[in-house]
Amino acid sequence: RLNLDPYQDMEKISCPTCRKAFDQHDERQTNLCLEKFINIATNPVVYSSTKKIICPTCEKDILDHNQRQAMECVDKFIKQVKDNFD
């Protein structure tokens, strides 16, 4: 789980799952959206019928990623979100 401070200003990062800015998320919503993004990015066969998700890191369709690319983008995105909450 992320240790989030909801009172701290956060750079506008768009959520890839709900399309809202992360500064509009509380800790619970951030964790839910990150979990959903991780599931979609790392298990494309199960989630292929869901709406198109654009990778917030490289701006390609997340379903076009291979496993290595997906994990790299997920790691970078989680780090970006965490860094903006620190």
Side-chain angles (χ1 to χ4, degrees), residues 9-39:
D9 284 338
M10 183 172 169
E11 178 184 323
K12 295 278 187 200
I13 299 174
S14 183
C15 177
T17 56
C18 73
R19 311 263 196 275
K20 293 181 183 175
F22 266 104
D23 64 355
Q24 296 175 353
H25 287 56
D26 59 13
E27 180 177 3
R28 181 181 170 280
Q29 185 65 45
T30 298
N31 286 324
L32 289 173
C33 285
L34 284 176
E35 184 176 339
K36 184 175 181 180
F37 175 65
I38 292 166
N39 288 338

PDB file of all heavy atoms in Angstrom, residues 9-39:
ATOM      1  N   ASP A   9      -0.218  18.892  -2.290  1.00  0.00           N
ATOM      2  CA  ASP A   9      -0.510  19.111  -3.701  1.00  0.00           C
ATOM      3  C   ASP A   9       0.226  18.078  -4.536  1.00  0.00           C
ATOM      4  O   ASP A   9       1.354  17.728  -4.261  1.00  0.00           O
ATOM      5  CB  ASP A   9      -0.052  20.506  -4.143  1.00  0.00           C
ATOM      6  CG  ASP A   9      -0.989  21.580  -3.654  1.00  0.00           C
ATOM      7  OD1 ASP A   9      -2.158  21.251  -3.358  1.00  0.00           O
ATOM      8  OD2 ASP A   9      -0.566  22.742  -3.568  1.00  0.00           O
ATOM      9  N   MET A  10      -0.459  17.627  -5.568  1.00  0.00           N
ATOM     10  CA  MET A  10       0.136  16.630  -6.439  1.00  0.00           C
ATOM     11  C   MET A  10       0.073  17.123  -7.868  1.00  0.00           C
ATOM     12  O   MET A  10      -0.939  17.636  -8.310  1.00  0.00           O
ATOM     13  CB  MET A  10      -0.622  15.317  -6.303  1.00  0.00           C
ATOM     14  CG  MET A  10      -0.035  14.216  -7.110  1.00  0.00           C
ATOM     15  SD  MET A  10      -0.846  12.684  -6.717  1.00  0.00           S
ATOM     16  CE  MET A  10      -0.191  11.669  -8.008  1.00  0.00           C
ATOM     17  N   GLU A  11       1.182  16.961  -8.561  1.00  0.00           N
ATOM     18  CA  GLU A  11       1.228  17.288  -9.974  1.00  0.00           C
ATOM     19  C   GLU A  11       0.095  16.540 -10.674  1.00  0.00           C
ATOM     20  O   GLU A  11      -0.255  15.438 -10.301  1.00  0.00           O
ATOM     21  CB  GLU A  11       2.581  16.826 -10.503  1.00  0.00           C
ATOM     22  CG  GLU A  11       2.797  17.049 -11.967  1.00  0.00           C
ATOM     23  CD  GLU A  11       4.127  16.480 -12.407  1.00  0.00           C
ATOM     24  OE1 GLU A  11       5.099  16.561 -11.638  1.00  0.00           O
ATOM     25  OE2 GLU A  11       4.168  15.950 -13.518  1.00  0.00           O
ATOM     26  N   LYS A  12      -0.483  17.146 -11.683  1.00  0.00           N
ATOM     27  CA  LYS A  12      -1.594  16.525 -12.399  1.00  0.00           C
ATOM     28  C   LYS A  12      -1.124  15.267 -13.117  1.00  0.00           C
ATOM     29  O   LYS A  12      -0.434  15.332 -14.118  1.00  0.00           O
ATOM     30  CB  LYS A  12      -2.200  17.491 -13.414  1.00  0.00           C
ATOM     31  CG  LYS A  12      -2.844  18.686 -12.781  1.00  0.00           C
ATOM     32  CD  LYS A  12      -4.235  18.350 -12.317  1.00  0.00           C
ATOM     33  CE  LYS A  12      -4.919  19.609 -11.832  1.00  0.00           C
ATOM     34  NZ  LYS A  12      -6.012  19.408 -10.988  1.00  0.00           N
ATOM     35  N   ILE A  13      -1.480  14.122 -12.587  1.00  0.00           N
ATOM     36  CA  ILE A  13      -1.221  12.845 -13.222  1.00  0.00           C
ATOM     37  C   ILE A  13      -2.589  12.237 -13.491  1.00  0.00           C
ATOM     38  O   ILE A  13      -3.397  12.091 -12.582  1.00  0.00           O
ATOM     39  CB  ILE A  13      -0.402  11.901 -12.325  1.00  0.00           C
ATOM     40  CG1 ILE A  13       0.956  12.505 -12.008  1.00  0.00           C
ATOM     41  CG2 ILE A  13      -0.240  10.542 -12.989  1.00  0.00           C
ATOM     42  CD1 ILE A  13       1.754  11.695 -11.016  1.00  0.00           C
ATOM     43  N   SER A  14      -2.838  11.910 -14.720  1.00  0.00           N
ATOM     44  CA  SER A  14      -4.128  11.354 -15.088  1.00  0.00           C
ATOM     45  C   SER A  14      -4.151   9.861 -14.780  1.00  0.00           C
ATOM     46  O   SER A  14      -3.234   9.125 -15.124  1.00  0.00           O
ATOM     47  CB  SER A  14      -4.372  11.583 -16.578  1.00  0.00           C
ATOM     48  OG  SER A  14      -5.632  11.107 -16.932  1.00  0.00           O
ATOM     49  N   CYS A  15      -5.216   9.418 -14.146  1.00  0.00           N
ATOM     50  CA  CYS A  15      -5.383   8.009 -13.814  1.00  0.00           C
ATOM     51  C   CYS A  15      -5.745   7.234 -15.087  1.00  0.00           C
ATOM     52  O   CYS A  15      -6.706   7.586 -15.767  1.00  0.00           O
ATOM     53  CB  CYS A  15      -6.489   7.858 -12.778  1.00  0.00           C
ATOM     54  SG  CYS A  15      -6.836   6.139 -12.365  1.00  0.00           S
ATOM     55  N   PRO A  16      -5.009   6.173 -15.397  1.00  0.00           N
ATOM     56  CA  PRO A  16      -5.289   5.427 -16.616  1.00  0.00           C
ATOM     57  C   PRO A  16      -6.571   4.600 -16.547  1.00  0.00           C
ATOM     58  O   PRO A  16      -7.105   4.205 -17.568  1.00  0.00           O
ATOM     59  CB  PRO A  16      -4.067   4.519 -16.774  1.00  0.00           C
ATOM     60  CG  PRO A  16      -3.531   4.371 -15.399  1.00  0.00           C
ATOM     61  CD  PRO A  16      -3.842   5.664 -14.693  1.00  0.00           C
ATOM     62  N   THR A  17      -7.083   4.347 -15.353  1.00  0.00           N
ATOM     63  CA  THR A  17      -8.273   3.510 -15.246  1.00  0.00           C
ATOM     64  C   THR A  17      -9.566   4.302 -15.141  1.00  0.00           C
ATOM     65  O   THR A  17     -10.560   3.947 -15.768  1.00  0.00           O
ATOM     66  CB  THR A  17      -8.173   2.527 -14.061  1.00  0.00           C
ATOM     67  OG1 THR A  17      -7.928   3.249 -12.870  1.00  0.00           O
ATOM     68  CG2 THR A  17      -7.062   1.532 -14.279  1.00  0.00           C
ATOM     69  N   CYS A  18      -9.572   5.391 -14.393  1.00  0.00           N
ATOM     70  CA  CYS A  18     -10.819   6.153 -14.242  1.00  0.00           C
ATOM     71  C   CYS A  18     -10.772   7.510 -14.941  1.00  0.00           C
ATOM     72  O   CYS A  18     -11.766   8.225 -14.978  1.00  0.00           O
ATOM     73  CB  CYS A  18     -11.184   6.324 -12.774  1.00  0.00           C
ATOM     74  SG  CYS A  18     -10.156   7.503 -11.882  1.00  0.00           S
ATOM     75  N   ARG A  19      -9.590   7.872 -15.457  1.00  0.00           N
ATOM     76  CA  ARG A  19      -9.388   9.105 -16.235  1.00  0.00           C
ATOM     77  C   ARG A  19      -9.447  10.401 -15.409  1.00  0.00           C
ATOM     78  O   ARG A  19      -9.387  11.476 -15.955  1.00  0.00           O
ATOM     79  CB  ARG A  19     -10.371   9.207 -17.400  1.00  0.00           C
ATOM     80  CG  ARG A  19     -10.495   7.976 -18.261  1.00  0.00           C
ATOM     81  CD  ARG A  19      -9.627   8.087 -19.482  1.00  0.00           C
ATOM     82  NE  ARG A  19      -9.971   7.133 -20.531  1.00  0.00           N
ATOM     83  CZ  ARG A  19      -9.532   5.894 -20.595  1.00  0.00           C
ATOM     84  NH1 ARG A  19      -8.784   5.423 -19.632  1.00  0.00           N
ATOM     85  NH2 ARG A  19      -9.836   5.102 -21.600  1.00  0.00           N
ATOM     86  N   LYS A  20      -9.574  10.311 -14.102  1.00  0.00           N
ATOM     87  CA  LYS A  20      -9.543  11.507 -13.252  1.00  0.00           C
ATOM     88  C   LYS A  20      -8.085  11.809 -12.907  1.00  0.00           C
ATOM     89  O   LYS A  20      -7.227  10.943 -12.987  1.00  0.00           O
ATOM     90  CB  LYS A  20     -10.306  11.276 -11.946  1.00  0.00           C
ATOM     91  CG  LYS A  20     -11.784  11.109 -12.107  1.00  0.00           C
ATOM     92  CD  LYS A  20     -12.414  10.906 -10.739  1.00  0.00           C
ATOM     93  CE  LYS A  20     -13.905  10.648 -10.836  1.00  0.00           C
ATOM     94  NZ  LYS A  20     -14.481  10.331  -9.524  1.00  0.00           N
ATOM     95  N   ALA A  21      -7.824  13.029 -12.483  1.00  0.00           N
ATOM     96  CA  ALA A  21      -6.483  13.380 -12.009  1.00  0.00           C
ATOM     97  C   ALA A  21      -6.251  12.706 -10.659  1.00  0.00           C
ATOM     98  O   ALA A  21      -7.172  12.581  -9.854  1.00  0.00           O
ATOM     99  CB  ALA A  21      -6.349  14.889 -11.879  1.00  0.00           C
ATOM    100  N   PHE A  22      -5.025  12.263 -10.423  1.00  0.00           N
ATOM    101  CA  PHE A  22      -4.738  11.583  -9.159  1.00  0.00           C
ATOM    102  C   PHE A  22      -4.897  12.508  -7.952  1.00  0.00           C
ATOM    103  O   PHE A  22      -5.119  12.042  -6.849  1.00  0.00           O
ATOM    104  CB  PHE A  22      -3.344  10.950  -9.159  1.00  0.00           C
ATOM    105  CG  PHE A  22      -3.364   9.508  -9.576  1.00  0.00           C
ATOM    106  CD1 PHE A  22      -2.939   9.137 -10.832  1.00  0.00           C
ATOM    107  CD2 PHE A  22      -3.828   8.530  -8.720  1.00  0.00           C
ATOM    108  CE1 PHE A  22      -2.959   7.809 -11.221  1.00  0.00           C
ATOM    109  CE2 PHE A  22      -3.865   7.204  -9.095  1.00  0.00           C
ATOM    110  CZ  PHE A  22      -3.426   6.842 -10.350  1.00  0.00           C
ATOM    111  N   ASP A  23      -4.810  13.817  -8.162  1.00  0.00           N
ATOM    112  CA  ASP A  23      -5.021  14.707  -7.020  1.00  0.00           C
ATOM    113  C   ASP A  23      -6.482  14.734  -6.585  1.00  0.00           C
ATOM    114  O   ASP A  23      -6.814  15.271  -5.534  1.00  0.00           O
ATOM    115  CB  ASP A  23      -4.479  16.109  -7.285  1.00  0.00           C
ATOM    116  CG  ASP A  23      -5.184  16.830  -8.424  1.00  0.00           C
ATOM    117  OD1 ASP A  23      -6.040  16.237  -9.096  1.00  0.00           O
ATOM    118  OD2 ASP A  23      -4.856  18.008  -8.645  1.00  0.00           O
ATOM    119  N   GLN A  24      -7.372  14.127  -7.361  1.00  0.00           N
ATOM    120  CA  GLN A  24      -8.783  13.996  -6.976  1.00  0.00           C
ATOM    121  C   GLN A  24      -9.053  12.661  -6.278  1.00  0.00           C
ATOM    122  O   GLN A  24     -10.177  12.375  -5.902  1.00  0.00           O
ATOM    123  CB  GLN A  24      -9.682  14.113  -8.208  1.00  0.00           C
ATOM    124  CG  GLN A  24      -9.615  15.457  -8.881  1.00  0.00           C
ATOM    125  CD  GLN A  24     -10.433  15.491 -10.161  1.00  0.00           C
ATOM    126  OE1 GLN A  24     -10.950  14.493 -10.625  1.00  0.00           O
ATOM    127  NE2 GLN A  24     -10.549  16.683 -10.726  1.00  0.00           N
ATOM    128  N   HIS A  25      -8.038  11.835  -6.123  1.00  0.00           N
ATOM    129  CA  HIS A  25      -8.155  10.530  -5.475  1.00  0.00           C
ATOM    130  C   HIS A  25      -7.767  10.641  -4.002  1.00  0.00           C
ATOM    131  O   HIS A  25      -6.820  11.345  -3.661  1.00  0.00           O
ATOM    132  CB  HIS A  25      -7.195   9.521  -6.103  1.00  0.00           C
ATOM    133  CG  HIS A  25      -7.567   9.045  -7.464  1.00  0.00           C
ATOM    134  ND1 HIS A  25      -7.778   9.879  -8.521  1.00  0.00           N
ATOM    135  CD2 HIS A  25      -7.733   7.787  -7.946  1.00  0.00           C
ATOM    136  CE1 HIS A  25      -8.063   9.171  -9.597  1.00  0.00           C
ATOM    137  NE2 HIS A  25      -8.045   7.895  -9.278  1.00  0.00           N
ATOM    138  N   ASP A  26      -8.466   9.902  -3.163  1.00  0.00           N
ATOM    139  CA  ASP A  26      -7.988   9.714  -1.800  1.00  0.00           C
ATOM    140  C   ASP A  26      -7.109   8.455  -1.815  1.00  0.00           C
ATOM    141  O   ASP A  26      -6.913   7.830  -2.859  1.00  0.00           O
ATOM    142  CB  ASP A  26      -9.140   9.614  -0.799  1.00  0.00           C
ATOM    143  CG  ASP A  26     -10.099   8.456  -1.086  1.00  0.00           C
ATOM    144  OD1 ASP A  26      -9.785   7.564  -1.910  1.00  0.00           O
ATOM    145  OD2 ASP A  26     -11.181   8.450  -0.474  1.00  0.00           O
ATOM    146  N   GLU A  27      -6.577   8.081  -0.680  1.00  0.00           N
ATOM    147  CA  GLU A  27      -5.666   6.939  -0.622  1.00  0.00           C
ATOM    148  C   GLU A  27      -6.351   5.662  -1.096  1.00  0.00           C
ATOM    149  O   GLU A  27      -5.776   4.889  -1.872  1.00  0.00           O
ATOM    150  CB  GLU A  27      -5.134   6.745   0.796  1.00  0.00           C
ATOM    151  CG  GLU A  27      -4.174   5.578   0.911  1.00  0.00           C
ATOM    152  CD  GLU A  27      -3.582   5.429   2.299  1.00  0.00           C
ATOM    153  OE1 GLU A  27      -3.957   6.190   3.208  1.00  0.00           O
ATOM    154  OE2 GLU A  27      -2.742   4.541   2.444  1.00  0.00           O
ATOM    155  N   ARG A  28      -7.578   5.448  -0.670  1.00  0.00           N
ATOM    156  CA  ARG A  28      -8.319   4.245  -1.062  1.00  0.00           C
ATOM    157  C   ARG A  28      -8.517   4.187  -2.573  1.00  0.00           C
ATOM    158  O   ARG A  28      -8.259   3.163  -3.207  1.00  0.00           O
ATOM    159  CB  ARG A  28      -9.673   4.209  -0.346  1.00  0.00           C
ATOM    160  CG  ARG A  28     -10.506   2.997  -0.674  1.00  0.00           C
ATOM    161  CD  ARG A  28     -11.874   3.047   0.061  1.00  0.00           C
ATOM    162  NE  ARG A  28     -12.747   2.021  -0.420  1.00  0.00           N
ATOM    163  CZ  ARG A  28     -13.462   2.083  -1.551  1.00  0.00           C
ATOM    164  NH1 ARG A  28     -13.399   3.150  -2.313  1.00  0.00           N
ATOM    165  NH2 ARG A  28     -14.232   1.088  -1.926  1.00  0.00           N
ATOM    166  N   GLN A  29      -8.958   5.293  -3.171  1.00  0.00           N
ATOM    167  CA  GLN A  29      -9.198   5.324  -4.610  1.00  0.00           C
ATOM    168  C   GLN A  29      -7.903   5.148  -5.390  1.00  0.00           C
ATOM    169  O   GLN A  29      -7.869   4.451  -6.401  1.00  0.00           O
ATOM    170  CB  GLN A  29      -9.886   6.628  -5.024  1.00  0.00           C
ATOM    171  CG  GLN A  29     -10.276   6.673  -6.494  1.00  0.00           C
ATOM    172  CD  GLN A  29     -11.322   5.636  -6.848  1.00  0.00           C
ATOM    173  OE1 GLN A  29     -12.294   5.472  -6.134  1.00  0.00           O
ATOM    174  NE2 GLN A  29     -11.122   4.942  -7.947  1.00  0.00           N
ATOM    175  N   THR A  30      -6.827   5.752  -4.919  1.00  0.00           N
ATOM    176  CA  THR A  30      -5.528   5.594  -5.578  1.00  0.00           C
ATOM    177  C   THR A  30      -5.112   4.133  -5.580  1.00  0.00           C
ATOM    178  O   THR A  30      -4.700   3.596  -6.609  1.00  0.00           O
ATOM    179  CB  THR A  30      -4.454   6.449  -4.886  1.00  0.00           C
ATOM    180  OG1 THR A  30      -4.840   7.819  -4.991  1.00  0.00           O
ATOM    181  CG2 THR A  30      -3.080   6.255  -5.509  1.00  0.00           C
ATOM    182  N   ASN A  31      -5.234   3.481  -4.436  1.00  0.00           N
ATOM    183  CA  ASN A  31      -4.857   2.067  -4.348  1.00  0.00           C
ATOM    184  C   ASN A  31      -5.731   1.199  -5.250  1.00  0.00           C
ATOM    185  O   ASN A  31      -5.226   0.287  -5.910  1.00  0.00           O
ATOM    186  CB  ASN A  31      -4.906   1.581  -2.904  1.00  0.00           C
ATOM    187  CG  ASN A  31      -3.756   2.107  -2.085  1.00  0.00           C
ATOM    188  OD1 ASN A  31      -2.652   2.251  -2.576  1.00  0.00           O
ATOM    189  ND2 ASN A  31      -4.014   2.419  -0.836  1.00  0.00           N
ATOM    190  N   LEU A  32      -7.038   1.479  -5.291  1.00  0.00           N
ATOM    191  CA  LEU A  32      -7.935   0.702  -6.158  1.00  0.00           C
ATOM    192  C   LEU A  32      -7.573   0.876  -7.624  1.00  0.00           C
ATOM    193  O   LEU A  32      -7.517  -0.095  -8.384  1.00  0.00           O
ATOM    194  CB  LEU A  32      -9.396   1.108  -5.929  1.00  0.00           C
ATOM    195  CG  LEU A  32     -10.026   0.685  -4.608  1.00  0.00           C
ATOM    196  CD1 LEU A  32     -11.415   1.323  -4.457  1.00  0.00           C
ATOM    197  CD2 LEU A  32     -10.133  -0.825  -4.527  1.00  0.00           C
ATOM    198  N   CYS A  33      -7.326   2.113  -8.038  1.00  0.00           N
ATOM    199  CA  CYS A  33      -6.986   2.377  -9.438  1.00  0.00           C
ATOM    200  C   CYS A  33      -5.629   1.786  -9.812  1.00  0.00           C
ATOM    201  O   CYS A  33      -5.477   1.224 -10.896  1.00  0.00           O
ATOM    202  CB  CYS A  33      -7.037   3.872  -9.725  1.00  0.00           C
ATOM    203  SG  CYS A  33      -8.730   4.517  -9.841  1.00  0.00           S
ATOM    204  N   LEU A  34      -4.645   1.911  -8.931  1.00  0.00           N
ATOM    205  CA  LEU A  34      -3.337   1.315  -9.216  1.00  0.00           C
ATOM    206  C   LEU A  34      -3.442  -0.203  -9.310  1.00  0.00           C
ATOM    207  O   LEU A  34      -2.846  -0.820 -10.195  1.00  0.00           O
ATOM    208  CB  LEU A  34      -2.310   1.715  -8.155  1.00  0.00           C
ATOM    209  CG  LEU A  34      -1.773   3.129  -8.251  1.00  0.00           C
ATOM    210  CD1 LEU A  34      -0.844   3.421  -7.077  1.00  0.00           C
ATOM    211  CD2 LEU A  34      -1.061   3.367  -9.562  1.00  0.00           C
ATOM    212  N   GLU A  35      -4.213  -0.805  -8.424  1.00  0.00           N
ATOM    213  CA  GLU A  35      -4.396  -2.254  -8.462  1.00  0.00           C
ATOM    214  C   GLU A  35      -5.050  -2.681  -9.780  1.00  0.00           C
ATOM    215  O   GLU A  35      -4.621  -3.646 -10.419  1.00  0.00           O
ATOM    216  CB  GLU A  35      -5.240  -2.708  -7.281  1.00  0.00           C
ATOM    217  CG  GLU A  35      -5.401  -4.209  -7.195  1.00  0.00           C
ATOM    218  CD  GLU A  35      -6.164  -4.643  -5.950  1.00  0.00           C
ATOM    219  OE1 GLU A  35      -6.235  -3.888  -4.971  1.00  0.00           O
ATOM    220  OE2 GLU A  35      -6.700  -5.765  -5.991  1.00  0.00           O
ATOM    221  N   LYS A  36      -6.076  -1.950 -10.201  1.00  0.00           N
ATOM    222  CA  LYS A  36      -6.745  -2.270 -11.459  1.00  0.00           C
ATOM    223  C   LYS A  36      -5.785  -2.102 -12.637  1.00  0.00           C
ATOM    224  O   LYS A  36      -5.737  -2.948 -13.535  1.00  0.00           O
ATOM    225  CB  LYS A  36      -7.977  -1.384 -11.646  1.00  0.00           C
ATOM    226  CG  LYS A  36      -8.771  -1.728 -12.886  1.00  0.00           C
ATOM    227  CD  LYS A  36     -10.045  -0.919 -12.958  1.00  0.00           C
ATOM    228  CE  LYS A  36     -10.847  -1.297 -14.200  1.00  0.00           C
ATOM    229  NZ  LYS A  36     -12.085  -0.526 -14.287  1.00  0.00           N
ATOM    230  N   PHE A  37      -5.012  -1.018 -12.642  1.00  0.00           N
ATOM    231  CA  PHE A  37      -4.042  -0.789 -13.712  1.00  0.00           C
ATOM    232  C   PHE A  37      -3.017  -1.919 -13.765  1.00  0.00           C
ATOM    233  O   PHE A  37      -2.682  -2.427 -14.837  1.00  0.00           O
ATOM    234  CB  PHE A  37      -3.355   0.565 -13.529  1.00  0.00           C
ATOM    235  CG  PHE A  37      -2.258   0.821 -14.520  1.00  0.00           C
ATOM    236  CD1 PHE A  37      -2.535   0.940 -15.873  1.00  0.00           C
ATOM    237  CD2 PHE A  37      -0.945   0.933 -14.101  1.00  0.00           C
ATOM    238  CE1 PHE A  37      -1.514   1.169 -16.798  1.00  0.00           C
ATOM    239  CE2 PHE A  37       0.076   1.168 -15.011  1.00  0.00           C
ATOM    240  CZ  PHE A  37      -0.218   1.284 -16.360  1.00  0.00           C
ATOM    241  N   ILE A  38      -2.500  -2.327 -12.628  1.00  0.00           N
ATOM    242  CA  ILE A  38      -1.527  -3.420 -12.567  1.00  0.00           C
ATOM    243  C   ILE A  38      -2.138  -4.704 -13.114  1.00  0.00           C
ATOM    244  O   ILE A  38      -1.519  -5.421 -13.902  1.00  0.00           O
ATOM    245  CB  ILE A  38      -1.003  -3.615 -11.134  1.00  0.00           C
ATOM    246  CG1 ILE A  38      -0.151  -2.416 -10.723  1.00  0.00           C
ATOM    247  CG2 ILE A  38      -0.212  -4.918 -11.000  1.00  0.00           C
ATOM    248  CD1 ILE A  38       0.132  -2.333  -9.234  1.00  0.00           C
ATOM    249  N   ASN A  39      -3.383  -5.000 -12.721  1.00  0.00           N
ATOM    250  CA  ASN A  39      -4.053  -6.208 -13.205  1.00  0.00           C
ATOM    251  C   ASN A  39      -4.214  -6.185 -14.722  1.00  0.00           C
ATOM    252  O   ASN A  39      -3.960  -7.179 -15.399  1.00  0.00           O
ATOM    253  CB  ASN A  39      -5.418  -6.379 -12.546  1.00  0.00           C
ATOM    254  CG  ASN A  39      -5.320  -6.786 -11.101  1.00  0.00           C
ATOM    255  OD1 ASN A  39      -4.314  -7.336 -10.666  1.00  0.00           O
ATOM    256  ND2 ASN A  39      -6.347  -6.508 -10.338  1.00  0.00           N
TER     257      ASN A  39
END
